Amino acid sequence: MSKTFGFLFGAGAEISYKMPSGGEFALDIFREDTTKSKEKFKDLRSAIEPSNTYASKWLPKEYSDKKVATFTTRVFEELIKETIENNRKLIVNRINSFDNLAKAVIKRMDEGKENADQIDNVIFNDLKKYPTNISAEQLLSFSSYLNSNELNGNGLFENRYFGVLLEYYKKLDKLDFSISDQQYLQDIIKTILQLQIGAMSSEVSRNLEDNVFEVDKLNFDFFDDLGGTLRVDFSTAGVQGLTLITKRKDISKSHPIIQFGFKVLDMIFSEVLNYKTLIDSYWYFLYTPKTDWAKFCKISIFLWNVRQYIVNQVEDKVDKTARGYYEELEGSSLNEEQMIIGTTNYSNLINEKLHSKNIIFLNGNINEFYDPYLNTIGSEEELNKVESHFIVPLLFTQSGTKPMTAISMSEKYVDYYRKLKAADAICTIGFGFNPDDEHINGIIRTLINKDNKELYVIKPDSGKDVKEESEELAVKLRVINPQKIHIIFINPKTRRDENGNLWINVLEKL
């Protein structure tokens, strides 16, 4: 009897087609121009009949003439606060691994160029020494008040390429840098340090909140209320940096080290940026536009802007001629009855590549929309067929759990779970099992812990032992038996394992 496989595709599965990773997506949507999305919102407003119950009871008075607000840079402080408080350890760890980020950036910058190591050669020509001979380890050290046992930010100064940035700034008067590039270099260095200091300060603040006294033998109850007196000023802990990278002008003519610095900043922010709480706090107002019209506008236009960004990516940047996971699955020996396919991605690229009508979009889709007034999901035409309402694209970015209460969405998750339960094996490709996908993590966890299913994870070789990787994922996913998780390491460019076998061929042989 032929085996059936349940597949789950995440953002990593579409990188070979030039679609952005999850982190790049999070950063880019705050760069996207809102003009067209704002016009779309106004068009929806114009189509509403002012004399019906929807307008008179659900919308605020004079809604048709009210100003339409969007997220501006003022929201960045909320973003940075959330990012630092929730990801402070990740921030310090990533910044402490500055050289790894730098090398990844240099590899991208050198792709397709005959002269590899261009940045290193530029550095040598400017500074008369290579990065391997540059270090700030003996020049800088954070105050001991900032460092803690768990978070030590001094690792940053051991990184050669951060030392390079400092060396450039030290020798600016001898280098041919434009005025704008001189300012950019200062801003890049300042942003890295501010983000690191902000994360360490948040850890200090959190530790004080948990335990103000070094010694406490009195144990008075009211001592518990003394914590939290130290607060981080988030306006100087990364807001300027986030504003810098989202609002910067064209830097294609800037000095290569400036372009390099910004790309490293982009990578740092794309990996750590967290906007879940921000979206959660605004999502409520989709259901209560009378309570706060401005917030209703902001979250609605944000979702339309996310859709616009995805559509633009597919139309303008996706390499549809590239070969990736989808073509390899399409060309496998598996027929459609042997495949259950779910995806957390939003575009229709997977439909176009797999030519399947049975794909389950678990986090929404650019062609699905949501009517918060009726709590229903459908196409734009279906939802406005009877009566025109404000609708938004059904896209769960880092949040957005409310539409899951719609019957059709609940049915979708139950259907996916039942189909996976009936499958012989489950396979994930490019899915990170991150906390904001807990609604999907829970399905996988139940299938392994309760239904005794085997999980096969296709992922780029991390350099770790397979057993170690399985155990780490078991802890992250809260799976009881790590032996139920099988890691299949592949080369991300060829998608083949160490023996040269294509990932899908490995599965076919199970």
mmCIF file of all heavy atoms in Angstrom, residues 22-24 26-28 31 76 79-80 83-84 87 90-91 94-95 101 187-188 191-192 194-196 237-246 261-275 398:
data_model
loop_
_atom_site.group_PDB
_atom_site.id
_atom_site.type_symbol
_atom_site.label_atom_id
_atom_site.label_comp_id
_atom_site.label_asym_id
_atom_site.label_seq_id
_atom_site.Cartn_x
_atom_site.Cartn_y
_atom_site.Cartn_z
ATOM 1 N N GLY A 22 11.073 34.778 6.866
ATOM 2 C CA GLY A 22 10.129 35.337 7.831
ATOM 3 C C GLY A 22 10.640 36.612 8.480
ATOM 4 O O GLY A 22 9.900 37.568 8.684
ATOM 5 N N GLY A 23 11.948 36.632 8.792
ATOM 6 C CA GLY A 23 12.537 37.816 9.421
ATOM 7 C C GLY A 23 12.568 39.006 8.491
ATOM 8 O O GLY A 23 12.252 40.142 8.885
ATOM 9 N N GLU A 24 12.969 38.788 7.238
ATOM 10 C CA GLU A 24 13.000 39.871 6.249
ATOM 11 C C GLU A 24 11.601 40.423 6.023
ATOM 12 O O GLU A 24 11.399 41.626 5.878
ATOM 13 C CB GLU A 24 13.592 39.364 4.936
ATOM 14 C CG GLU A 24 15.068 39.040 5.014
ATOM 15 C CD GLU A 24 15.578 38.310 3.797
ATOM 16 O OE1 GLU A 24 14.795 37.557 3.177
ATOM 17 O OE2 GLU A 24 16.756 38.481 3.462
ATOM 18 N N ALA A 26 9.150 40.516 8.194
ATOM 19 C CA ALA A 26 8.755 41.326 9.349
ATOM 20 C C ALA A 26 9.304 42.737 9.259
ATOM 21 O O ALA A 26 8.633 43.712 9.621
ATOM 22 C CB ALA A 26 9.233 40.661 10.644
ATOM 23 N N LEU A 27 10.537 42.862 8.769
ATOM 24 C CA LEU A 27 11.164 44.182 8.656
ATOM 25 C C LEU A 27 10.621 44.960 7.466
ATOM 26 O O LEU A 27 10.323 46.154 7.562
ATOM 27 C CB LEU A 27 12.680 44.010 8.537
ATOM 28 C CG LEU A 27 13.531 45.279 8.497
ATOM 29 C CD1 LEU A 27 13.314 46.113 9.762
ATOM 30 C CD2 LEU A 27 14.997 44.925 8.356
ATOM 31 N N ASP A 28 10.461 44.272 6.342
ATOM 32 C CA ASP A 28 10.070 44.953 5.097
ATOM 33 C C ASP A 28 8.666 45.546 5.136
ATOM 34 O O ASP A 28 8.405 46.562 4.487
ATOM 35 C CB ASP A 28 10.185 43.989 3.916
ATOM 36 C CG ASP A 28 11.613 43.772 3.480
ATOM 37 O OD1 ASP A 28 12.495 44.520 3.956
ATOM 38 O OD2 ASP A 28 11.861 42.852 2.675
ATOM 39 N N ARG A 31 8.517 49.006 5.937
ATOM 40 C CA ARG A 31 9.108 49.898 4.943
ATOM 41 C C ARG A 31 8.126 50.190 3.808
ATOM 42 O O ARG A 31 8.303 51.119 3.053
ATOM 43 C CB ARG A 31 10.355 49.242 4.341
ATOM 44 C CG ARG A 31 11.552 49.171 5.273
ATOM 45 C CD ARG A 31 12.657 48.387 4.587
ATOM 46 N NE ARG A 31 13.913 48.494 5.308
ATOM 47 C CZ ARG A 31 14.842 47.551 5.319
ATOM 48 N NH1 ARG A 31 14.649 46.432 4.655
ATOM 49 N NH2 ARG A 31 15.967 47.729 5.973
ATOM 50 N N PHE A 76 7.348 52.994 16.452
ATOM 51 C CA PHE A 76 8.609 52.269 16.563
ATOM 52 C C PHE A 76 9.035 52.049 18.009
ATOM 53 O O PHE A 76 9.686 51.058 18.327
ATOM 54 C CB PHE A 76 9.718 52.996 15.805
ATOM 55 C CG PHE A 76 9.635 52.832 14.301
ATOM 56 C CD1 PHE A 76 8.625 52.081 13.727
ATOM 57 C CD2 PHE A 76 10.574 53.416 13.468
ATOM 58 C CE1 PHE A 76 8.537 51.914 12.352
ATOM 59 C CE2 PHE A 76 10.509 53.256 12.093
ATOM 60 C CZ PHE A 76 9.476 52.507 11.534
ATOM 61 N N LEU A 79 7.448 48.996 19.108
ATOM 62 C CA LEU A 79 8.102 47.853 18.477
ATOM 63 C C LEU A 79 9.406 47.500 19.178
ATOM 64 O O LEU A 79 9.682 46.330 19.471
ATOM 65 C CB LEU A 79 8.394 48.162 17.003
ATOM 66 C CG LEU A 79 7.245 48.022 16.007
ATOM 67 C CD1 LEU A 79 7.694 48.508 14.631
ATOM 68 C CD2 LEU A 79 6.781 46.577 15.928
ATOM 69 N N ILE A 80 10.219 48.519 19.447
ATOM 70 C CA ILE A 80 11.510 48.283 20.084
ATOM 71 C C ILE A 80 11.321 47.789 21.516
ATOM 72 O O ILE A 80 12.037 46.891 21.984
ATOM 73 C CB ILE A 80 12.382 49.557 20.046
ATOM 74 C CG1 ILE A 80 12.829 49.845 18.614
ATOM 75 C CG2 ILE A 80 13.590 49.430 20.963
ATOM 76 C CD1 ILE A 80 13.697 48.755 18.006
ATOM 77 N N THR A 83 10.354 44.211 21.273
ATOM 78 C CA THR A 83 11.480 43.421 20.767
ATOM 79 C C THR A 83 12.515 43.182 21.851
ATOM 80 O O THR A 83 12.978 42.050 22.066
ATOM 81 C CB THR A 83 12.131 44.140 19.566
ATOM 82 O OG1 THR A 83 11.187 44.184 18.482
ATOM 83 C CG2 THR A 83 13.390 43.416 19.105
ATOM 84 N N ILE A 84 12.904 44.238 22.547
ATOM 85 C CA ILE A 84 13.939 44.116 23.571
ATOM 86 C C ILE A 84 13.445 43.309 24.762
ATOM 87 O O ILE A 84 14.164 42.446 25.296
ATOM 88 C CB ILE A 84 14.433 45.514 24.008
ATOM 89 C CG1 ILE A 84 15.280 46.136 22.883
ATOM 90 C CG2 ILE A 84 15.244 45.436 25.297
ATOM 91 C CD1 ILE A 84 15.751 47.540 23.167
ATOM 92 N N ASN A 87 12.944 39.610 23.360
ATOM 93 C CA ASN A 87 14.046 38.958 22.652
ATOM 94 C C ASN A 87 15.427 39.432 23.121
ATOM 95 O O ASN A 87 16.383 39.389 22.350
ATOM 96 C CB ASN A 87 13.923 39.205 21.134
ATOM 97 C CG ASN A 87 12.734 38.484 20.528
ATOM 98 O OD1 ASN A 87 12.205 37.544 21.101
ATOM 99 N ND2 ASN A 87 12.314 38.923 19.360
ATOM 100 N N LEU A 90 18.204 36.902 22.702
ATOM 101 C CA LEU A 90 18.483 36.686 21.279
ATOM 102 C C LEU A 90 19.275 37.845 20.700
ATOM 103 O O LEU A 90 20.217 37.652 19.920
ATOM 104 C CB LEU A 90 17.170 36.505 20.506
ATOM 105 C CG LEU A 90 17.280 36.376 18.990
ATOM 106 C CD1 LEU A 90 18.088 35.131 18.605
ATOM 107 C CD2 LEU A 90 15.885 36.327 18.352
ATOM 108 N N ILE A 91 18.907 39.076 21.098
ATOM 109 C CA ILE A 91 19.607 40.270 20.601
ATOM 110 C C ILE A 91 21.084 40.222 20.970
ATOM 111 O O ILE A 91 21.964 40.392 20.116
ATOM 112 C CB ILE A 91 18.957 41.551 21.163
ATOM 113 C CG1 ILE A 91 17.575 41.761 20.553
ATOM 114 C CG2 ILE A 91 19.840 42.775 20.898
ATOM 115 C CD1 ILE A 91 16.761 42.834 21.244
ATOM 116 N N ARG A 94 22.942 37.427 19.092
ATOM 117 C CA ARG A 94 23.159 37.702 17.667
ATOM 118 C C ARG A 94 24.221 38.785 17.483
ATOM 119 O O ARG A 94 25.078 38.679 16.611
ATOM 120 C CB ARG A 94 21.855 38.125 16.984
ATOM 121 C CG ARG A 94 20.777 37.069 16.951
ATOM 122 C CD ARG A 94 21.294 35.735 16.452
ATOM 123 N NE ARG A 94 21.586 35.713 15.045
ATOM 124 C CZ ARG A 94 22.582 35.033 14.477
ATOM 125 N NH1 ARG A 94 23.441 34.367 15.229
ATOM 126 N NH2 ARG A 94 22.762 35.057 13.173
ATOM 127 N N ILE A 95 24.161 39.828 18.298
ATOM 128 C CA ILE A 95 25.155 40.895 18.164
ATOM 129 C C ILE A 95 26.535 40.390 18.579
ATOM 130 O O ILE A 95 27.550 40.769 17.986
ATOM 131 C CB ILE A 95 24.736 42.136 18.978
ATOM 132 C CG1 ILE A 95 23.484 42.769 18.341
ATOM 133 C CG2 ILE A 95 25.857 43.164 19.047
ATOM 134 C CD1 ILE A 95 22.943 43.988 19.058
ATOM 135 N N LEU A 101 27.300 37.177 11.196
ATOM 136 C CA LEU A 101 26.372 37.980 10.402
ATOM 137 C C LEU A 101 27.125 38.677 9.274
ATOM 138 O O LEU A 101 26.656 38.713 8.126
ATOM 139 C CB LEU A 101 25.686 39.023 11.288
ATOM 140 C CG LEU A 101 24.835 38.507 12.449
ATOM 141 C CD1 LEU A 101 24.387 39.665 13.330
ATOM 142 C CD2 LEU A 101 23.614 37.758 11.929
ATOM 143 N N ASP A 187 25.935 56.478 12.783
ATOM 144 C CA ASP A 187 24.608 55.950 13.117
ATOM 145 C C ASP A 187 24.607 54.424 13.187
ATOM 146 O O ASP A 187 23.918 53.829 14.035
ATOM 147 C CB ASP A 187 23.578 56.428 12.092
ATOM 148 C CG ASP A 187 23.293 57.921 12.202
ATOM 149 O OD1 ASP A 187 23.573 58.501 13.267
ATOM 150 O OD2 ASP A 187 22.791 58.510 11.216
ATOM 151 N N ILE A 188 25.325 53.775 12.275
ATOM 152 C CA ILE A 188 25.382 52.309 12.262
ATOM 153 C C ILE A 188 26.024 51.791 13.548
ATOM 154 O O ILE A 188 25.493 50.897 14.218
ATOM 155 C CB ILE A 188 26.157 51.810 11.020
ATOM 156 C CG1 ILE A 188 25.343 52.054 9.747
ATOM 157 C CG2 ILE A 188 26.494 50.317 11.153
ATOM 158 C CD1 ILE A 188 26.143 51.891 8.463
ATOM 159 N N THR A 191 23.730 52.489 16.542
ATOM 160 C CA THR A 191 22.560 51.604 16.581
ATOM 161 C C THR A 191 22.913 50.244 17.163
ATOM 162 O O THR A 191 22.172 49.691 17.991
ATOM 163 C CB THR A 191 21.986 51.424 15.160
ATOM 164 O OG1 THR A 191 21.501 52.681 14.690
ATOM 165 C CG2 THR A 191 20.843 50.416 15.155
ATOM 166 N N ILE A 192 24.036 49.676 16.733
ATOM 167 C CA ILE A 192 24.468 48.373 17.247
ATOM 168 C C ILE A 192 24.690 48.434 18.755
ATOM 169 O O ILE A 192 24.218 47.574 19.508
ATOM 170 C CB ILE A 192 25.758 47.923 16.529
ATOM 171 C CG1 ILE A 192 25.480 47.679 15.045
ATOM 172 C CG2 ILE A 192 26.325 46.657 17.177
ATOM 173 C CD1 ILE A 192 26.726 47.612 14.188
ATOM 174 N N GLN A 194 23.509 50.744 20.894
ATOM 175 C CA GLN A 194 22.272 51.066 21.613
ATOM 176 C C GLN A 194 21.386 49.834 21.770
ATOM 177 O O GLN A 194 20.781 49.625 22.828
ATOM 178 C CB GLN A 194 21.520 52.169 20.874
ATOM 179 C CG GLN A 194 22.107 53.558 21.059
ATOM 180 C CD GLN A 194 21.315 54.619 20.318
ATOM 181 O OE1 GLN A 194 20.656 54.345 19.315
ATOM 182 N NE2 GLN A 194 21.383 55.854 20.798
ATOM 183 N N LEU A 195 21.312 49.030 20.722
ATOM 184 C CA LEU A 195 20.483 47.826 20.795
ATOM 185 C C LEU A 195 21.058 46.839 21.797
ATOM 186 O O LEU A 195 20.319 46.230 22.594
ATOM 187 C CB LEU A 195 20.389 47.185 19.407
ATOM 188 C CG LEU A 195 19.293 46.136 19.197
ATOM 189 C CD1 LEU A 195 17.913 46.717 19.503
ATOM 190 C CD2 LEU A 195 19.329 45.607 17.764
ATOM 191 N N GLN A 196 22.374 46.704 21.810
ATOM 192 C CA GLN A 196 23.033 45.810 22.770
ATOM 193 C C GLN A 196 22.842 46.323 24.203
ATOM 194 O O GLN A 196 22.499 45.548 25.109
ATOM 195 C CB GLN A 196 24.536 45.719 22.430
ATOM 196 C CG GLN A 196 25.316 44.720 23.254
ATOM 197 C CD GLN A 196 25.236 43.311 22.712
ATOM 198 O OE1 GLN A 196 24.163 42.895 22.265
ATOM 199 N NE2 GLN A 196 26.323 42.571 22.764
ATOM 200 N N ALA A 237 17.113 53.106 22.713
ATOM 201 C CA ALA A 237 17.591 51.721 22.770
ATOM 202 C C ALA A 237 17.319 50.976 21.474
ATOM 203 O O ALA A 237 17.227 49.763 21.464
ATOM 204 C CB ALA A 237 16.936 50.994 23.944
ATOM 205 N N GLY A 238 17.169 51.706 20.381
ATOM 206 C CA GLY A 238 16.949 51.040 19.102
ATOM 207 C C GLY A 238 15.963 51.725 18.192
ATOM 208 O O GLY A 238 15.879 51.413 17.005
ATOM 209 N N VAL A 239 15.187 52.666 18.733
ATOM 210 C CA VAL A 239 14.192 53.360 17.911
ATOM 211 C C VAL A 239 14.868 54.131 16.787
ATOM 212 O O VAL A 239 14.426 54.088 15.632
ATOM 213 C CB VAL A 239 13.334 54.318 18.770
ATOM 214 C CG1 VAL A 239 12.425 55.163 17.876
ATOM 215 C CG2 VAL A 239 12.493 53.523 19.770
ATOM 216 N N GLN A 240 15.940 54.830 17.122
ATOM 217 C CA GLN A 240 16.663 55.596 16.099
ATOM 218 C C GLN A 240 17.203 54.670 15.016
ATOM 219 O O GLN A 240 17.168 54.994 13.828
ATOM 220 C CB GLN A 240 17.801 56.382 16.747
ATOM 221 C CG GLN A 240 17.321 57.465 17.706
ATOM 222 C CD GLN A 240 18.472 58.070 18.514
ATOM 223 O OE1 GLN A 240 19.627 57.853 18.203
ATOM 224 N NE2 GLN A 240 18.135 58.800 19.561
ATOM 225 N N GLY A 241 17.675 53.493 15.430
ATOM 226 C CA GLY A 241 18.206 52.535 14.472
ATOM 227 C C GLY A 241 17.128 51.978 13.564
ATOM 228 O O GLY A 241 17.331 51.830 12.349
ATOM 229 N N LEU A 242 15.967 51.639 14.134
ATOM 230 C CA LEU A 242 14.862 51.113 13.333
ATOM 231 C C LEU A 242 14.375 52.171 12.348
ATOM 232 O O LEU A 242 14.072 51.861 11.189
ATOM 233 C CB LEU A 242 13.722 50.659 14.249
ATOM 234 C CG LEU A 242 12.548 49.958 13.576
ATOM 235 C CD1 LEU A 242 13.010 48.744 12.777
ATOM 236 C CD2 LEU A 242 11.499 49.540 14.615
ATOM 237 N N THR A 243 14.311 53.406 12.820
ATOM 238 C CA THR A 243 13.936 54.508 11.926
ATOM 239 C C THR A 243 14.960 54.652 10.808
ATOM 240 O O THR A 243 14.611 54.852 9.642
ATOM 241 C CB THR A 243 13.842 55.831 12.710
ATOM 242 O OG1 THR A 243 12.929 55.668 13.805
ATOM 243 C CG2 THR A 243 13.373 56.968 11.815
ATOM 244 N N LEU A 244 16.220 54.521 11.162
ATOM 245 C CA LEU A 244 17.314 54.663 10.199
ATOM 246 C C LEU A 244 17.191 53.651 9.070
ATOM 247 O O LEU A 244 17.297 54.012 7.886
ATOM 248 C CB LEU A 244 18.656 54.485 10.921
ATOM 249 C CG LEU A 244 19.928 54.513 10.063
ATOM 250 C CD1 LEU A 244 20.170 55.925 9.545
ATOM 251 C CD2 LEU A 244 21.127 54.023 10.879
ATOM 252 N N ILE A 245 16.970 52.369 9.396
ATOM 253 C CA ILE A 245 16.982 51.344 8.351
ATOM 254 C C ILE A 245 15.675 51.250 7.582
ATOM 255 O O ILE A 245 15.651 50.744 6.461
ATOM 256 C CB ILE A 245 17.355 49.955 8.920
ATOM 257 C CG1 ILE A 245 16.320 49.474 9.940
ATOM 258 C CG2 ILE A 245 18.738 49.971 9.527
ATOM 259 C CD1 ILE A 245 16.570 48.055 10.414
ATOM 260 N N THR A 246 14.580 51.738 8.164
ATOM 261 C CA THR A 246 13.305 51.683 7.437
ATOM 262 C C THR A 246 13.061 52.932 6.605
ATOM 263 O O THR A 246 12.301 52.891 5.638
ATOM 264 C CB THR A 246 12.126 51.486 8.409
ATOM 265 O OG1 THR A 246 12.143 52.511 9.405
ATOM 266 C CG2 THR A 246 12.175 50.126 9.069
ATOM 267 N N GLY A 261 27.541 47.793 6.300
ATOM 268 C CA GLY A 261 27.026 48.057 7.646
ATOM 269 C C GLY A 261 25.521 48.020 7.707
ATOM 270 O O GLY A 261 24.927 47.456 8.635
ATOM 271 N N PHE A 262 24.867 48.608 6.703
ATOM 272 C CA PHE A 262 23.408 48.605 6.689
ATOM 273 C C PHE A 262 22.853 47.198 6.485
ATOM 274 O O PHE A 262 21.822 46.841 7.063
ATOM 275 C CB PHE A 262 22.889 49.535 5.596
ATOM 276 C CG PHE A 262 22.689 50.955 6.054
ATOM 277 C CD1 PHE A 262 23.410 52.004 5.496
ATOM 278 C CD2 PHE A 262 21.776 51.253 7.052
ATOM 279 C CE1 PHE A 262 23.230 53.313 5.919
ATOM 280 C CE2 PHE A 262 21.582 52.560 7.489
ATOM 281 C CZ PHE A 262 22.316 53.590 6.919
ATOM 282 N N LYS A 263 23.518 46.401 5.668
ATOM 283 C CA LYS A 263 23.045 45.032 5.443
ATOM 284 C C LYS A 263 23.157 44.194 6.717
ATOM 285 O O LYS A 263 22.299 43.348 6.988
ATOM 286 C CB LYS A 263 23.828 44.393 4.294
ATOM 287 C CG LYS A 263 23.472 44.956 2.923
ATOM 288 C CD LYS A 263 24.250 44.274 1.818
ATOM 289 C CE LYS A 263 23.952 44.904 0.460
ATOM 290 N NZ LYS A 263 22.545 44.729 0.061
ATOM 291 N N VAL A 264 24.209 44.431 7.495
ATOM 292 C CA VAL A 264 24.334 43.732 8.778
ATOM 293 C C VAL A 264 23.226 44.189 9.729
ATOM 294 O O VAL A 264 22.604 43.361 10.415
ATOM 295 C CB VAL A 264 25.721 43.967 9.411
ATOM 296 C CG1 VAL A 264 25.783 43.336 10.803
ATOM 297 C CG2 VAL A 264 26.823 43.383 8.536
ATOM 298 N N LEU A 265 22.964 45.491 9.757
ATOM 299 C CA LEU A 265 21.863 46.006 10.583
ATOM 300 C C LEU A 265 20.540 45.385 10.178
ATOM 301 O O LEU A 265 19.727 44.989 11.026
ATOM 302 C CB LEU A 265 21.766 47.524 10.465
ATOM 303 C CG LEU A 265 22.654 48.393 11.352
ATOM 304 C CD1 LEU A 265 22.255 49.854 11.191
ATOM 305 C CD2 LEU A 265 22.572 47.985 12.809
ATOM 306 N N ASP A 266 20.300 45.319 8.870
ATOM 307 C CA ASP A 266 19.071 44.700 8.370
ATOM 308 C C ASP A 266 18.936 43.272 8.876
ATOM 309 O O ASP A 266 17.859 42.833 9.296
ATOM 310 C CB ASP A 266 19.061 44.687 6.836
ATOM 311 C CG ASP A 266 18.668 46.029 6.243
ATOM 312 O OD1 ASP A 266 18.325 46.939 7.013
ATOM 313 O OD2 ASP A 266 18.691 46.166 5.004
ATOM 314 N N MET A 267 20.047 42.545 8.835
ATOM 315 C CA MET A 267 20.019 41.145 9.255
ATOM 316 C C MET A 267 19.731 41.032 10.751
ATOM 317 O O MET A 267 18.951 40.163 11.183
ATOM 318 C CB MET A 267 21.349 40.466 8.906
ATOM 319 C CG MET A 267 21.353 38.971 9.146
ATOM 320 S SD MET A 267 22.826 38.133 8.487
ATOM 321 C CE MET A 267 22.417 38.119 6.731
ATOM 322 N N ILE A 268 20.335 41.906 11.542
ATOM 323 C CA ILE A 268 20.093 41.880 12.995
ATOM 324 C C ILE A 268 18.625 42.146 13.287
ATOM 325 O O ILE A 268 17.959 41.381 14.000
ATOM 326 C CB ILE A 268 20.976 42.915 13.725
ATOM 327 C CG1 ILE A 268 22.451 42.521 13.650
ATOM 328 C CG2 ILE A 268 20.548 43.054 15.198
ATOM 329 C CD1 ILE A 268 23.414 43.591 14.158
ATOM 330 N N PHE A 269 18.096 43.231 12.738
ATOM 331 C CA PHE A 269 16.701 43.588 13.016
ATOM 332 C C PHE A 269 15.727 42.562 12.457
ATOM 333 O O PHE A 269 14.694 42.280 13.072
ATOM 334 C CB PHE A 269 16.390 44.985 12.469
ATOM 335 C CG PHE A 269 16.749 46.101 13.404
ATOM 336 C CD1 PHE A 269 17.945 46.782 13.270
ATOM 337 C CD2 PHE A 269 15.900 46.474 14.430
ATOM 338 C CE1 PHE A 269 18.298 47.816 14.137
ATOM 339 C CE2 PHE A 269 16.226 47.502 15.307
ATOM 340 C CZ PHE A 269 17.429 48.169 15.156
ATOM 341 N N SER A 270 16.030 41.998 11.295
ATOM 342 C CA SER A 270 15.113 41.024 10.702
ATOM 343 C C SER A 270 15.035 39.757 11.542
ATOM 344 O O SER A 270 14.004 39.073 11.552
ATOM 345 C CB SER A 270 15.541 40.674 9.271
ATOM 346 O OG SER A 270 16.740 39.927 9.250
ATOM 347 N N GLU A 271 16.119 39.443 12.272
ATOM 348 C CA GLU A 271 16.120 38.238 13.099
ATOM 349 C C GLU A 271 15.484 38.456 14.469
ATOM 350 O O GLU A 271 15.007 37.501 15.086
ATOM 351 C CB GLU A 271 17.552 37.723 13.274
ATOM 352 C CG GLU A 271 18.143 37.139 11.995
ATOM 353 C CD GLU A 271 19.453 36.416 12.238
ATOM 354 O OE1 GLU A 271 19.751 36.113 13.407
ATOM 355 O OE2 GLU A 271 20.168 36.155 11.256
ATOM 356 N N VAL A 272 15.487 39.684 14.963
ATOM 357 C CA VAL A 272 15.022 39.907 16.342
ATOM 358 C C VAL A 272 13.715 40.689 16.435
ATOM 359 O O VAL A 272 13.058 40.667 17.488
ATOM 360 C CB VAL A 272 16.101 40.631 17.186
ATOM 361 C CG1 VAL A 272 17.412 39.856 17.154
ATOM 362 C CG2 VAL A 272 16.329 42.070 16.719
ATOM 363 N N LEU A 273 13.306 41.381 15.364
ATOM 364 C CA LEU A 273 12.138 42.268 15.452
ATOM 365 C C LEU A 273 10.878 41.497 15.819
ATOM 366 O O LEU A 273 10.541 40.491 15.201
ATOM 367 C CB LEU A 273 11.930 43.010 14.131
ATOM 368 C CG LEU A 273 10.917 44.158 14.165
ATOM 369 C CD1 LEU A 273 11.383 45.271 15.101
ATOM 370 C CD2 LEU A 273 10.689 44.712 12.760
ATOM 371 N N ASN A 274 10.185 41.977 16.810
ATOM 372 C CA ASN A 274 8.975 41.318 17.314
ATOM 373 C C ASN A 274 7.852 42.340 17.390
ATOM 374 O O ASN A 274 7.975 43.342 18.085
ATOM 375 C CB ASN A 274 9.270 40.729 18.708
ATOM 376 C CG ASN A 274 8.128 39.886 19.246
ATOM 377 O OD1 ASN A 274 6.972 40.273 19.182
ATOM 378 N ND2 ASN A 274 8.463 38.735 19.799
ATOM 379 N N TYR A 275 6.777 42.104 16.656
ATOM 380 C CA TYR A 275 5.667 43.056 16.697
ATOM 381 C C TYR A 275 4.336 42.390 17.082
ATOM 382 O O TYR A 275 3.261 42.926 16.847
ATOM 383 C CB TYR A 275 5.525 43.786 15.350
ATOM 384 C CG TYR A 275 5.310 42.902 14.142
ATOM 385 C CD1 TYR A 275 4.037 42.569 13.708
ATOM 386 C CD2 TYR A 275 6.387 42.407 13.419
ATOM 387 C CE1 TYR A 275 3.839 41.780 12.599
ATOM 388 C CE2 TYR A 275 6.202 41.621 12.306
ATOM 389 C CZ TYR A 275 4.926 41.308 11.897
ATOM 390 O OH TYR A 275 4.733 40.506 10.794
ATOM 391 N N GLN A 398 2.501 38.083 12.722
ATOM 392 C CA GLN A 398 3.018 37.520 13.975
ATOM 393 C C GLN A 398 1.886 37.342 14.980
ATOM 394 O O GLN A 398 2.122 37.020 16.123
ATOM 395 C CB GLN A 398 4.097 38.434 14.571
ATOM 396 C CG GLN A 398 5.450 38.264 13.929
ATOM 397 C CD GLN A 398 6.556 38.975 14.675
ATOM 398 O OE1 GLN A 398 6.368 39.460 15.779
ATOM 399 N NE2 GLN A 398 7.719 39.054 14.073
#
